[in-house]
């Protein structure tokens, strides 16, 4: 709670994916569990408004791991940079 919540210019207070305790943080999410998106599933004690702000960020192009194509969009992973595009 002390370091993991940051103020985003667009989304307000959101959960950071990684922090170092010195004020530096990484804003993204990963497609695997554990992830910020899976907070409710994991039973983490969370603030609903901050979680919803974080979810809006995760599912937006502002998330550096967000991927989209002509037929689908999803959160991706920092280890995958290829956009998946299902057609046909």
């Amino acid at each position: 709670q002390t370091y993991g919540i940051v103020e985003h210019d667009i989304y307000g207070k959101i959960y950071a994916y990684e922090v170092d305790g010195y004020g530096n943080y990484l804003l993204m999410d990963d497609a695997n569990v554990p992830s910020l998106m899976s907070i409710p599933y994991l039973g983490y004690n969370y603030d609903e408004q901050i979680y919803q702000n974080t979810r809006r960020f995760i599912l937006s192009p502002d998330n550096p791991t967000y991927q989209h194509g002509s037929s689908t969009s999803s959160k991706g992973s920092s280890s995958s940079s290829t956009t998946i595009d299902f057609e046909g």
Side-chain angles (χ1 to χ4, degrees):
Q1 297 293 335
T2 301
Y3 300 106
I5 299 171
V6 299
E7 186 72 31
H8 191 280
D9 291 340
I10 298 171
Y11 302 98
K13 290 184 178 180
I14 64 173
Y15 291 111
Y17 183 77
E18 291 180 355
V19 297
D20 66 3
Y22 295 105
N24 300 304
Y25 52 85
L26 176 62
L27 299 180
M28 59 161 274
D29 200 21
D30 197 85
N32 297 307
V33 174
S35 67
L36 295 172
M37 188 82 97
S38 67
I39 284 174
Y41 171 76
L42 297 173
Y44 177 74
N45 184 17
Y46 64 97
D47 179 283
E48 182 65 29
Q49 184 60 55
I50 296 173
Y51 173 74
Q52 290 301 325
N53 292 348
T54 304
R55 184 178 169 89
R56 285 187 305 114
F57 166 77
I58 292 168
L59 298 174
S60 78
D62 295 319
N63 173 6
T65 62
Y66 179 79
Q67 299 178 354
H68 63 282
S70 61
S71 303
T72 188
S73 60
S74 69
K75 64 179 184 156
S77 172
S78 60
S79 60
S80 64
S81 60
T82 305
T83 300
I84 300 172
D85 190 7
F86 299 102
E87 293 187 28

